[in-house]
């Protein structure tokens, strides 16, 4: 069974704080993704990575950065959190582009 | 216009009913079609995965793809209260990399 874990289920931060969200997968998948999920908007891709140290912007990268130093770990960084970044953040991993994506449980982030 | 349209619901049905969930899309390049189920406060999990047109059945679930109409459906037979969740459709072209487009999700309630 593929397992994707995320470092926190719930997180509350203040405006301007630097926030780190971590994701770990145990299936040696090449590709990893960060999405945010908002009511009525569905899942929107923030960044993805197809190899260690490689990253590509998704649809809404502004205000975010990512880091992939090891194959199993993909981190999302909010450089200076803002209230409009309050959302559910979902990490996913995938073997190949034709394969499906496996999701973690999500981190519900609230920025006050 | 969004690439993938999905009625957010909520859809409320009695136990035992047949449920029909649908998505329409605009990009004729989409070849891979998926349905995910997402329980409250959890990450999405893959339910059905089909390639190109046709039907696929798995237990009480049937996925249907009509590429000529750019329309996909998920049918749930003998619906159970445990089917209460948000159902997201997702799709991807055959080529062109890693990007999967998700619908906004339909919230389903099955009443006992």
């Amino acid at each position: 069974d593929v397992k994707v874990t995320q470092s926190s289920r719930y997180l509350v931060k203040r405006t301007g704080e630097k926030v780190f969200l971590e994701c770990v997968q145990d299936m040696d998948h090449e590709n990893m993704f960060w999405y945010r999920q908002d009511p009525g908007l569905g899942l929107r891709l923030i960044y993805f990575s197809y190899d260690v140290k490689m990253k590509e912007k998704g649809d809404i990268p502004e205000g975010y950065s990512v880091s992939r130093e090891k194959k199993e770990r993909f981190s999302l960084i909010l450089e200076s959190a803002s209230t409009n970044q309050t959302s559910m953040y979902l990490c996913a991993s995938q073997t190949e582009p034709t394969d499906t994506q496996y999701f973690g449980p999500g981190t519900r982030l609230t920025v006050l | 216009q969004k690439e993938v349209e999905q009625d957010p619901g909520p859809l409320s049905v009695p136990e035992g009913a047949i449920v029909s969930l649908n998505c329409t899309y605009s990009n004729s390049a989409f070849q891979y079609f998926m349905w995910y189920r997402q329980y409250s406060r959890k990450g999405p999990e893959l339910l059905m995965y089909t390639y190109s047109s046709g039907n696929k059945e798995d237990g009480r679930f049937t996925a249907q793809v009509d590429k000529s109409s750019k329309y996909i459906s998920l049918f749930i037979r003998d619906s159970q209260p445990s089917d209460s969740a948000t159902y997201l459709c997702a799709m991807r072209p055959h080529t062109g990399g890693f990007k999967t487009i998700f619908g906004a999700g339909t919230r389903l309630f099955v009443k006992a």
Side-chain angles (χ1 to χ4, degrees), chain A residues 6-7 11 18-24 32-37 44-48 55-56 58 60-68 73-79 85 87-91 107 109:
Chain A
Q6 295 183 227
S7 50
L11 211 50
K18 191 168 187 175
V19 182
F20 293 88
L21 303 181
E22 288 228 310
C23 175
V24 178
M32 296 186 75
F33 305 80
W34 274 107
Y35 295 89
R36 63 177 282 176
Q37 185 176 32
R44 292 181 291 167
L45 182 64
I46 303 171
Y47 267 98
F48 68 96
K55 61 186 179 187
E56 291 280 346
I60 50 164
E62 296 79 21
Y64 304 94
S65 62
V66 290
S67 171
R68 192 156 180 213
R73 191 179 298 267
F74 192 34
S75 301
L76 179 71
I77 303 147
L78 285 66
E79 298 291 341
Q85 292 179 310
S87 187
M88 169 74 112
Y89 289 88
L90 289 160
C91 173
T107 295
L109 172 68

Side-chain angles (χ1 to χ4, degrees), chain B residues 93-110:
Chain B
H94 181 69
T95 57
F98 306 90
K99 196 167 175 188
T100 298
I101 308 298
F102 289 85
T106 299
R107 196 135 186 231
L108 172 67
F109 294 98
V110 181

Side-chain angles (χ1 to χ4, degrees), chain A residues 27-52:
Chain A
M27 284 302 291
D28 203 36
H29 285 173
E30 303 291 336
N31 310 314
M32 296 186 75
F33 305 80
W34 274 107
Y35 295 89
R36 63 177 282 176
Q37 185 176 32
D38 300 287
L41 297 178
L43 273 71
R44 292 181 291 167
L45 182 64
I46 303 171
Y47 267 98
F48 68 96
S49 168
Y50 51 89
D51 202 350
V52 176

